[in-house]
Each structure stands twice: as structure tokens, then as C-alpha cells.
Amino acid sequence: MASKKASNKRQRGAQKSCSNVFSMFEQSQIQEFKEAFGCIDQDRDGVIKKQDLKETYGQLGKLNVDDEELEGMLNEGKGPINFTVFLSLFGEKLNGTDPEDTILGAFKLFDPNGTGFVNKEEFKRLLMNQADKFTAEEVDQAFALAPIDPTGNIDYKSLCYIITHGDEKEES
């Protein structure tokens, strides 16, 4: 009896994790991942294998791919890579960003008056001189998407949204 309960619990857990993977993405994103999966699954059997990866790399012009590199990719799936596993791997990679409230909290440290803005030049100075120092090029990259007003202040609330949800201008 106990083993039956444990088995049911495992099945519910598997269903739950499976459904969570699909809830991480919008339907349009899932469709794009399906198309990408279809391009990689060269033999169309529903599972990405080493030969599928070799053929995909070959189509992209890279003919000498080490078997170790391919095995490393496949091992990230910890089993056969079907579409659900493929989607969860991307979910893990794409959701490596801190939650929006965590990023907002970090910015608020530089905004003692709670205005929702930080001075671009002061923030640049901090990024280039504190902790993991940014290069000028990295700062320019970081500021490329940042909403900066005419007085040189970064709207960090909007920036946090862009970091966690993507830039609407990029998507259209």
C-alpha cells in the first residue's frame, strides 16, 4: 500500500514538473522552441541524439565537432532529450536571471531617495571600480538597453523589467 502511494506521488511530481516547464514560456516561445527542436532532431524520431547534433553542426558548417563536446551537451539532459527535456534545459538557462524584486532591491541601494532613477555617470563609475569591475565596453553594452532620461538618469524600474521580461522593441 505504501509503495502504491509513493508511486502515485512520484507520478504527480513528474506531471507537475512537466507542466511547470510549459508554464515558463508563452505559447509563441514554445512554438519557436518546437521549430528549433525539429531542426536539430534530424531523423525526426522525437529525441535528440549525438548523430542529430553532428548533422546539425555540419549544416552550420562546423564539420569537426569532438564527440566529447557532443556527449557533454547530451549529458545536460540527464537522459534522452525529448522536447520536454529540451524545453526545460532552455528554461534553466534562460531563467538564470534573478527575480525582478531582487534586482530592484539592488538598484534601490543606489537610490536612497526612492526616485526610481540612478545617475548614469555615478553608476558607471561604480560598475567600473567596485567588485566585479566592468570594462568600458561592458558598461556600454549594459547601458544600450537602459532607459536613460535627458538628464542622464537611468530608469532602473524599467531596466529591471527589460532584464527579466525582455525588451519589447527587440521582440517586435
Side-chain angles (χ1 to χ4, degrees):
M1 185 75 163
S3 64
K4 186 175 182 182
K5 280 185 179 180
S7 175
N8 286 340
K9 190 174 183 178
R10 274 194 305 272
Q11 287 175 342
R12 283 193 309 270
Q15 289 170 346
K16 186 176 179 182
S17 69
C18 207
S19 64
N20 285 342
V21 169
F22 289 93
S23 68
M24 291 167 53
F25 301 102
E26 294 177 17
Q27 194 59 41
S28 60
Q29 291 175 302
I30 293 171
Q31 187 57 41
E32 288 177 18
F33 284 120
K34 279 184 184 175
E35 291 173 21
F37 182 85
C39 290
I40 298 169
D41 182 20
Q42 297 285 314
D43 61 7
R44 307 282 185 254
D45 68 349
V47 178
I48 295 174
K49 296 176 292 307
K50 190 188 314 185
Q51 189 59 38
D52 294 322
L53 292 175
K54 276 185 178 181
E55 290 176 24
T56 300
Y57 269 113
Q59 288 177 348
L60 297 171
K62 187 172 181 183
L63 302 175
N64 298 323
V65 183
D66 293 333
D67 279 351
E68 288 178 16
E69 184 179 354
L70 298 175
E71 289 292 336
M73 290 179 195
L74 293 171
N75 289 337
E76 286 187 43
K78 299 179 181 42
I81 300 180
N82 60 22
F83 180 68
T84 304
V85 173
F86 180 79
L87 196 60
S88 65
L89 288 170
F90 272 95
E92 290 170 9
K93 301 279 186 204
L94 295 175
N95 289 324
T97 305
D98 288 327
E100 189 171 356
D101 59 336
T102 302
I103 299 169
L104 275 172
F107 272 106
K108 286 178 182 177
L109 294 172
F110 304 103
D111 180 22
N113 298 328
T115 63
F117 293 89
V118 292
N119 180 272
K120 175 187 170 188
E121 291 306 315
E122 175 62 13
F123 197 61
K124 179 179 182 175
R125 186 187 66 75
L126 291 169
L127 288 173
M128 293 179 71
N129 295 300
Q130 303 292 320
D132 293 336
K133 296 177 179 131
F134 279 48
T135 64
E137 183 180 321
E138 290 170 328
V139 171
D140 290 342
Q141 262 184 327
F143 287 167
L145 290 176
I148 301 171
D149 71 14
T151 60
N153 292 311
I154 299 170
D155 176 354
Y156 66 80
K157 290 179 182 177
S158 295
L159 179 59
C160 288
Y161 184 86
I162 292 168
I163 291 169
T164 57
H165 296 93
D167 184 14
E168 291 175 9
K169 290 178 278 188
E170 274 185 355
E171 293 171 8
S172 52

